[in-house]
Amino acid sequence: MTTRSRLPFFFAIFLLITAGITLATLRHLELGIPWLSGEQRPVWMLEARVDFEARDEPVLASLSIPDDPPGFRLLSEQAASPGYGFSVVEDAGNRRAEWSKRVADGQQTLYFNVQLVPDDTNTIRPPRRKPKPDAVFWEEPQATAVREILQQAAERSSTPESMTRELIKLMQPENSAQNTTLLVSGANYADLLVRMLNHANIPARTADGLQLEDARRRQQLRPFLQIFNGERWLTFNPQTGEQGLPENVLLWRQSAVSLLDVVGGDKSQVSFSMMRQTVPALQLARTEASENGLGFLSLYQLPIEEQSMFRMLLLLPLGALIVAFMRIVIGIRTSGTFMPVLIAVAFVQTSLIPGLVAFVAVVAIGLLMRGYLSSLNLLLVSRISALIILVIFITTAISIVGYQMGFNTGMTVTFFPMIILAWTIERMSILWEEEGAREVLVQGTGSLFVAVCAYLAMSAPLAGHLTFNFPELHLVILGLILLMGQYTGYKLTELRRFYPMKAYD
């Protein structure tokens, strides 16, 4: 007689568990759904305020706005500009907020709000086209000074990055060289560095950054220097030469376009206010789910009514796992195979104590009525049908009595599965006749104990969060149940039979 190999079975179990964990991890990484329900994440709320004085003529105001800034992820954006038309336009790859009005006069104030989420995985994207250095023309004596300073920086460097650092060192105010003093005086320092680097055949540009601090108002942008090293844009502090973006700095503008343009107005200026908030990570994931490529896999895309149904339905596999473990490994006897799961679901709806009281009351009254039906010698189908009707009457009476006594939980007794209750009463009655009241007590107590264990597992906030937000974890539960199906050893409750053997030790 040949024994069938279990290797394919265990390999299939391994695939099930691996697939469940992998898909759940992918959902966590791609959709941002947290493993814990109470996890919080920071969100920065930024407000750009544009002020200008209109000249009683048509107005068009254009503000450069963030486009996928490094270190952050754009969550939402909106404008507050009563009386103005507003739109977000893309001009040569740059996003701009535009306000327009037929006629405006006097002091005007426009607002643009964005919500940003810190995201370390978001870095400066490489450009679609390799940038080229801009042509720069210098007049004498600046041309000679630029040539000499660039020659000194080139002698001390070997890469665009080191060239930039050395140039910034040479251009520091403490450097009293005549060429440095000549160039820096009366010039925009950041723009001067950009022109000099472009003259040295290194593509360079300025970027405006905003230092994020909670509850700050009327903040101004800080200039940063960016160069292209042949592969990607690198950011430098133009004052110190430090490479990289400082912590909590948002690059509001990364292109060579102007920050603010106002047609039909004078004395225009822009300032920024900011505030840091914390929001539940799950709420943040829901907001972003529709924009994510895997968002269609989320149950949050379903109507609210169906979400409520699935939230309860997806708890059943966890209850089935508890029942399988209790029956197969522990060895607790229950009335019916998976009746404890349905009772546990009812407990989730009614809460534990009212559910226990209602269940015991219904079963006890039902057993008394079942004894009377037994004396009538009815056929099985008629007896069960009559028992179902009686169970409905019993639960209705309990609900009415509970409501009259001021217990609102009595109204939720109707969540008990009527058919299962009727069949449980029938089985217990037959068991009473065949094996006595002791066996009825053992199986009834076992059913309630397993139902309570399943209820405690199913009602845990973490269980509800994981089963609904990571439904692929049910593959892991399926694998564990199949593994327990192969268990043929002693149940824990059977080990007491070997207790007398200790006398022979």
Side-chain angles (χ1 to χ4, degrees):
M1 181 178 179
T2 60
T3 59
R4 189 174 181 180
S5 174
R6 293 187 177 183
L7 186 60
F9 171 78
F10 289 116
F11 180 70
I13 297 298
F14 172 77
L15 290 181
L16 276 176
I17 296 177
T18 303
I21 296 176
T22 303
L23 290 174
T25 304
L26 184 63
R27 186 186 294 272
H28 168 71
L29 297 176
E30 293 295 325
L31 297 182
I33 298 178
W35 295 115
L36 302 176
S37 58
E39 187 175 340
Q40 301 282 322
R41 290 191 181 169
V43 173
W44 284 98
M45 299 182 63
L46 304 181
E47 179 183 81
R49 172 174 172 167
V50 178
D51 294 292
F52 63 94
E53 191 170 333
R55 300 192 298 255
D56 195 18
E57 59 183 72
V59 171
L60 178 63
S62 177
L63 174 69
S64 178
I65 58 177
D67 182 16
D68 198 21
F72 294 89
R73 186 171 67 255
L74 185 63
L75 184 60
S76 66
E77 57 185 18
Q78 61 181 1
S81 48
Y84 278 81
F86 175 79
S87 60
V88 175
V89 298
E90 188 165 338
D91 182 17
N94 302 307
R95 297 176 71 247
R96 300 187 70 87
E98 286 193 356
W99 293 267
S100 58
K101 193 173 184 180
R102 175 63 63 183
V103 177
D105 186 25
Q107 188 65 32
Q108 306 290 309
T109 302
L110 308 174
Y111 295 95
F112 181 78
N113 301 314
V114 295
Q115 284 186 315
L116 296 160
V117 182
D119 185 2
D120 295 334
T121 62
N122 190 22
T123 57
I124 299 179
R125 294 177 299 178
R128 297 177 182 176
R129 295 181 180 179
K130 187 176 181 179
K132 297 181 180 180
D134 297 331
V136 182
F137 175 75
W138 301 90
E139 295 182 352
E140 293 293 349
Q142 286 82 3
T144 301
V146 168
R147 186 167 53 252
E148 292 181 359
I149 292 178
L150 290 178
Q151 183 177 358
Q152 294 179 39
E155 291 174 354
R156 304 176 186 178
S157 61
S158 58
T159 62
E161 299 94 307
S162 59
M163 175 75 173
T164 302
R165 287 192 292 267
E166 293 301 323
L167 178 60
I168 293 176
K169 291 179 184 178
L170 293 172
M171 297 296 290
Q172 292 303 304
E174 59 268 17
N175 190 339
S176 59
Q178 184 177 0
N179 289 331
T180 302
T181 305
L182 174 65
L183 292 173
V184 172
S185 61
N188 186 306
Y189 177 64
D191 290 340
L192 176 62
L193 290 176
V194 170
R195 296 184 65 201
M196 294 180 70
L197 288 168
N198 277 284
H199 188 76
N201 206 32
I202 299 176
R205 67 187 185 187
T206 57
D208 292 326
L210 192 62
Q211 181 69 43
L212 299 181
E213 299 179 43
D214 189 20
R216 297 301 297 269
R217 301 173 63 248
R218 299 284 183 169
Q219 300 299 296
Q220 301 297 324
L221 296 173
R222 294 170 47 194
F224 286 87
L225 178 65
Q226 288 188 328
I227 67 164
F228 187 73
N229 67 346
E231 297 179 358
R232 63 184 186 277
W233 288 99
L234 303 177
T235 304
F236 291 84
N237 187 322
Q239 304 297 333
T240 62
E242 182 180 357
Q243 183 177 338
L245 197 62
E247 186 178 359
N248 283 340
V249 170
L250 167 72
L251 288 184
W252 184 275
R253 182 180 66 93
Q254 302 182 68
S255 59
V257 297
S258 61
L259 174 64
L260 175 64
D261 293 325
V262 177
V263 178
D266 299 316
K267 302 178 182 179
S268 62
Q269 60 179 358
V270 58
S271 60
F272 299 86
S273 301
M274 62 202 70
M275 183 171 62
R276 185 181 184 272
Q277 293 182 329
T278 56
V279 298
L282 183 58
Q283 176 184 339
L284 193 61
R286 291 184 200 171
T287 305
E288 298 177 301
S290 58
E291 302 177 0
N292 194 287
L294 293 177
F296 70 96
L297 296 176
S298 174
L299 291 173
Y300 289 107
Q301 304 298 318
L302 297 175
I304 299 297
E305 183 179 357
E306 295 188 18
Q307 287 186 36
S308 302
M309 178 188 67
F310 276 103
R311 191 176 293 274
M312 179 59 62
L313 186 64
L314 292 174
L315 288 173
L316 291 177
L318 181 61
L321 176 65
I322 299 296
V323 173
F325 177 78
M326 290 293 183
R327 288 179 60 91
I328 297 174
V329 179
I330 305 298
I332 296 177
R333 287 180 289 177
T334 63
S335 179
T337 307
F338 285 102
M339 185 200 69
V341 178
L342 300 177
I343 297 176
V345 172
F347 287 168
V348 171
Q349 298 289 341
T350 63
S351 71
L352 183 59
I353 301 302
L356 278 173
V357 173
F359 176 79
V360 173
V362 171
V363 172
I365 298 173
L367 282 174
L368 293 176
M369 293 186 174
R370 166 59 176 79
Y372 173 73
L373 293 176
S374 178
S375 64
L376 298 179
N377 295 323
L378 299 175
L379 296 175
L380 176 63
V381 176
S382 297
R383 189 169 64 243
I384 293 295
S385 301
L387 197 56
I388 291 174
I389 297 174
L390 291 175
V391 167
I392 293 175
F393 279 129
I394 294 171
T395 54
T396 303
I398 292 177
S399 296
I400 294 175
V401 171
Y403 177 75
Q404 295 296 332
M405 296 178 63
F407 299 105
N408 293 331
T409 52
M411 301 295 291
T412 58
V413 173
T414 54
F415 283 106
F416 279 111
M418 303 300 174
I419 305 297
I420 299 298
L421 273 178
W423 189 248
T424 300
I425 294 171
E426 175 68 18
R427 285 173 55 89
M428 285 187 173
S429 180
I430 296 175
L431 190 64
W432 193 314
E433 295 173 355
E434 294 180 351
E435 311 226 1
R438 183 180 180 279
E439 188 65 22
V440 171
L441 184 62
V442 169
Q443 293 192 15
T445 305
S447 298
L448 283 180
F449 177 75
V450 174
V452 170
C453 292
Y455 160 79
L456 294 176
M458 295 164 65
S459 62
L462 181 61
H465 172 76
L466 292 178
T467 55
F468 186 77
N469 293 286
F470 299 95
E472 50 278 340
L473 289 179
H474 290 88
L475 295 176
V476 179
I477 294 178
L478 175 61
L480 294 176
I481 290 176
L482 292 177
L483 275 178
M484 283 190 289
Q486 293 288 311
Y487 180 73
T488 56
Y490 286 108
K491 298 176 175 61
L492 294 181
T493 54
E494 294 176 339
L495 297 180
R496 62 182 179 180
R497 294 185 302 172
F498 300 96
Y499 181 77
M501 296 181 64
K502 294 180 66 176
Y504 299 97
D505 291 344

